[in-house]
Amino acid sequence: MSGADGIDHFEEFHGLPVLTLPRDEVPAPGPLPEPDAVAWRLDCGWEEEWTFPKLWAHFTHVVDTERVRALVIGPWWCGEYSELAPALELIVADAARFSALRALFLADVVGEECEVSWLRMNDITPAVEAFPLLEEFGVRGCGDTYRDGDLRLRPVKHDRLRVLRFESGGLPGAVVRAVGASELPALEHLELWLGVDEYGGNATVADLAPLLDGGRFPRLRHLGLQNSEIQDEIAGAVAAAPVVAGLESLALSMGTLTDAGAEALLAGQPLTHLAELDLRHHYMSPPWRTRIEEALEPHGVRVELAPSDGIDEDDEWRYVAVSE
């Protein structure tokens, strides 16, 4: 992971504390918590004997799956990195056993375990389709300019999904377009880490158009278009986007936003109705940071502007927070 705004393991997910399932035949220490009291995290670690099929069988044996509300998938490989597909197939095959599941996150993995660009992903559409009552879904991982068969999504119809997050150092334009073509009438929170072209992040401002027109997701209250090397272009598009009027919070953080992007935001439609504008990890000069704050904070907007350590707005080499 690159930059000070890197990725950490979830400590909370879907309003629940995250508990990594003990990899023991007899869970220790002490009894496990109630199945609906935590978000269960599965992690194969580096132990050769703990394959994901074995861990999954252990999990479904010691935990009442009918009461599980949230599930977080950590490293699914043991030894050599392997594709997500076989693990995802097991989860999807057992979907009927998880009638209470409302939240699922794939690849809660940090750099010490595997760089985000090295995660071997696949088509994650079946995970969304298999759980029609799912309210929150997230995935971490990249496309890959140099490898086929990586992170993919097909347009979906899902009536319950409220939160959708893609954390990526390179989110394929095809995935962004699939989100824009999906029918998600309940969606309230959309977060896309767009990343860089080197790691498959080839989405364009044109790809974002369905997300910005305001009609696709009528209940959307938070929009994050983040971690992008074209952050100024995105800011310019957002400045005139109809979707902004209905938002409560907007995140254009983690990318290469400069004074040009700040100027576009202030020259565009009013942002004074927002509760929060997140612009952390940026390349704006002090005068433009001050202008943003003076334009919005008197109206009650919480402006998140603090740059990450080491960021210099005059530095010719500008990087996003999360890439490799």
Side-chain angles (χ1 to χ4, degrees), residues 128-319:
V128 182
E129 296 175 332
F131 300 98
L133 300 181
L134 205 65
E135 298 175 356
E136 181 171 357
F137 178 74
V139 60
R140 183 176 296 157
C142 291
D144 194 322
T145 304
Y146 310 107
R147 184 173 69 230
D148 294 330
D150 237 308
L151 182 62
R152 302 187 305 283
L153 175 73
R154 291 177 278 106
V156 296
K157 183 181 186 302
H158 199 291
D159 293 332
R160 297 292 189 92
L161 199 65
R162 296 189 295 106
V163 178
L164 179 61
R165 300 167 57 187
F166 283 91
E167 299 182 357
S168 180
L171 190 62
V175 172
V176 175
R177 293 190 294 273
V179 172
S182 294
E183 296 181 41
L184 307 171
L187 193 66
E188 299 174 2
H189 181 114
L190 176 62
E191 188 173 325
L192 304 177
W193 296 10
L194 299 166
V196 299
D197 185 69
E198 181 180 1
Y199 295 107
N202 55 8
T204 66
V205 170
D207 293 329
L208 300 174
L211 312 178
L212 298 177
D213 69 13
R216 195 66 186 172
F217 307 127
R219 297 185 62 181
L220 196 66
R221 296 298 175 263
H222 173 84
L223 177 62
L225 301 174
Q226 302 163 251
N227 199 50
S228 176
E229 59 186 347
I230 59 167
Q231 206 72 60
D232 282 344
E233 295 178 48
I234 292 171
V238 166
V243 70
V244 172
L247 297 180
E248 297 174 358
S249 55
L250 172 65
L252 302 175
S253 57
M254 303 173 64
T256 60
L257 188 75
T258 70
D259 291 353
E263 184 175 9
L265 286 175
L266 289 187
Q269 62 188 303
L271 301 175
T272 52
H273 66 288
L274 295 175
E276 179 177 291
L277 175 63
D278 185 359
L279 302 177
R280 289 174 293 180
H281 186 109
H282 61 77
Y283 292 86
M284 292 182 289
S285 64
W288 275 102
R289 294 201 294 266
T290 299
R291 290 187 194 185
I292 291 278
E293 290 169 338
E294 290 180 346
L296 298 178
E297 288 184 342
H299 297 276
V301 182
R302 183 170 64 257
V303 180
E304 299 286 354
L305 267 174
S308 299
D309 292 341
I311 291 181
D312 182 350
E313 63 269 10
D314 296 323
D315 194 340
E316 293 183 3
W317 182 54
R318 295 172 177 170
Y319 55 88

Side-chain angles (χ1 to χ4, degrees), residues 84-105:
L84 174 66
L88 192 60
E89 288 170 4
L90 282 176
I91 296 168
V92 170
D94 276 348
R97 302 175 64 180
F98 289 82
S99 59
L101 192 70
R102 297 296 181 269
L104 174 63
F105 192 91

Side-chain angles (χ1 to χ4, degrees), residues 1 34 62 115-116 120 184 212:
M1 314 306 173
E34 293 297 317
V62 300
E115 300 289 359
V116 68
R120 300 181 63 185
L184 307 171
L212 298 177

